[in-house]
Amino acid sequence: MEQQHQQDSALIPLTKPKDFGKSEYGCEHYKRRCKIRAPCCNQIFPCRHCHNEVTSNLSNPKDHHELVRQDVKQVICLICNTEQQVAQVCSNCGVNMGEYFCDVCKFYDDTDKGQFHCEECGICRVDGRDNFFHCKKCGSCYSVSLRDNHLCVENSMKNFCPVCYEYLFDSIKGTSIMKCGHTMHTDCFREMAEQNQYRCPICSKTVREMSDYWRLLDEEIQATAMPEEYQNEVSILCNDCNNTSNVRYHILGHKCSHCNSYNTRRISTPDNQ
């Protein structure tokens, strides 16, 4: 059987068109025509994400580790099964192991996603270089629509998503920059909104447009009188403008006297309590 396999392999031309097998190989993360040998554990994986998923589930916590993409030295062509040094074109059969290839990140991808390498980030990004700029203070690439139009938080992307706790900087999921400058996955932000959560999980500032809801609270508070024994003043701190106010106590909420936000917290009890 092995002899027959060798005979069949001998019939396959050594050199193939560069696009041979394009988009037919890969994993759930990337379409590519090679696998990588992880230098950290000397095992073969379709990509670094596949490696990290396997190693993060190892029974011994001491064996948990992540692959550093720049450290990859060897790849295995999936067309001819030749192990070789990192390069775009297979040294044996001549196919492109990835239509997009980055020699810095050791990254291959057959799917056109507008990939580009950002020198300042040190990694590859997607969706087109012309659509992004690198914010030096935030430490990451942002959409050009946010140039001079976002609140900078130093190295805000080099943190974990406050909802799912995945590291944001090199996550393959979409990211949203909130009005306060903090970041989280777009899916997590959407899920938070569906749960009627309007505060940033990090700084508690309002991250959604709430003016209509504040007006509804105005009307409800005006229509709902508190019993006489609760008609007292309390001190509040506004999470949005960081100012303090003295306002009438109400069970439905307390409005900031400075910015009219109801995103406030009591810092004293009613006078008679």
Side-chain angles (χ1 to χ4, degrees):
M1 191 72 178
E2 183 178 350
Q3 183 179 3
Q4 179 64 42
H5 175 72
Q6 291 173 347
Q7 290 174 349
D8 291 343
S9 298
L11 297 175
I12 300 175
L14 187 62
T15 302
K16 292 184 174 296
K18 286 189 175 183
D19 63 351
F20 182 86
K22 178 182 176 181
S23 301
E24 296 178 12
Y25 300 84
C27 61
E28 63 179 296
H29 306 107
Y30 305 111
K31 292 294 183 182
R32 51 171 59 167
R33 284 162 279 176
C34 68
K35 290 186 177 182
I36 59 176
R37 183 176 291 280
C40 44
C41 54
N42 203 35
Q43 300 298 308
I44 296 172
F45 295 91
C47 75
R48 69 182 182 90
H49 297 294
C50 292
H51 167 278
N52 294 344
E53 287 171 3
V54 170
T55 57
S56 66
N57 290 314
L58 293 174
S59 57
N60 188 347
K62 293 182 179 180
D63 293 329
H64 295 183
H65 64 279
E66 292 194 351
L67 188 152
V68 179
R69 68 188 87 189
Q70 293 87 349
D71 290 348
V72 173
K73 305 295 183 186
Q74 297 289 118
V75 297
I76 299 90
C77 175
L78 292 176
I79 305 301
C80 67
N81 205 35
T82 300
E83 183 162 356
Q84 58 203 277
Q85 290 186 342
V86 170
Q88 182 172 20
V89 178
C90 175
S91 61
N92 183 53
C93 67
V95 301
N96 275 345
M97 291 184 283
E99 286 298 299
Y100 175 82
F101 169 70
C102 175
D103 189 45
V104 177
C105 295
K106 312 302 189 285
F107 176 57
Y108 299 80
D109 200 346
D110 269 345
T111 306
D112 183 4
K113 303 171 186 171
Q115 299 96 328
F116 65 97
H117 181 82
C118 174
E119 294 290 345
E120 292 175 282
C121 284
I123 61 174
C124 290
R125 301 291 189 187
V126 298
D127 292 333
R129 187 185 300 276
D130 292 342
N131 297 319
F132 291 87
F133 76 101
H134 185 89
C135 178
K136 292 184 178 181
K137 185 170 183 180
C138 295
S140 185
C141 287
Y142 285 167
S143 168
V144 292
S145 63
L146 292 172
R147 191 193 297 272
D148 302 322
N149 189 32
H150 73 284
L151 182 64
C152 287
V153 174
E154 191 166 357
N155 291 323
S156 63
M157 283 289 287
K158 295 179 179 178
N159 283 294
F160 296 89
C161 174
V163 175
C164 70
Y165 303 109
E166 181 184 342
Y167 192 59
L168 290 166
F169 183 70
D170 56 1
S171 173
I172 60 174
K173 299 176 184 177
T175 305
S176 291
I177 298 90
M178 295 175 283
K179 291 193 295 184
C180 58
H182 292 119
T183 52
M184 69 168 63
H185 286 128
T186 301
D187 288 345
C188 293
F189 181 79
R190 190 178 297 116
E191 182 179 344
M192 192 177 76
E194 289 172 355
Q195 298 296 322
N196 295 318
Q197 299 296 318
Y198 63 87
R199 297 184 183 94
C200 169
I202 298 172
C203 66
S204 295
K205 292 189 182 300
T206 301
V207 295
R208 296 166 52 200
E209 175 53 52
M210 298 296 292
S211 55
D212 288 343
Y213 183 64
W214 295 163
R215 273 194 295 273
L216 285 174
L217 272 178
D218 283 340
E219 294 170 4
E220 288 189 41
I221 288 172
Q222 189 173 3
T224 309
M226 291 295 293
E228 185 175 351
E229 61 267 29
Y230 288 101
Q231 292 181 11
N232 298 284
E233 279 194 346
V234 291
S235 295
I236 61 171
L237 172 67
C238 179
N239 292 323
D240 288 334
C241 70
N242 296 322
N243 285 309
T244 58
S245 307
N246 291 322
V247 298
R248 303 295 291 182
Y249 172 76
H250 202 286
I251 194 171
L252 294 179
H254 302 107
K255 185 175 184 176
C256 174
S257 302
H258 301 275
C259 70
N260 297 323
S261 169
Y262 277 97
N263 181 14
T264 61
R265 67 183 85 174
R266 279 169 46 188
I267 54 177
S268 74
T269 58
D271 291 341
N272 67 340
Q273 291 186 3

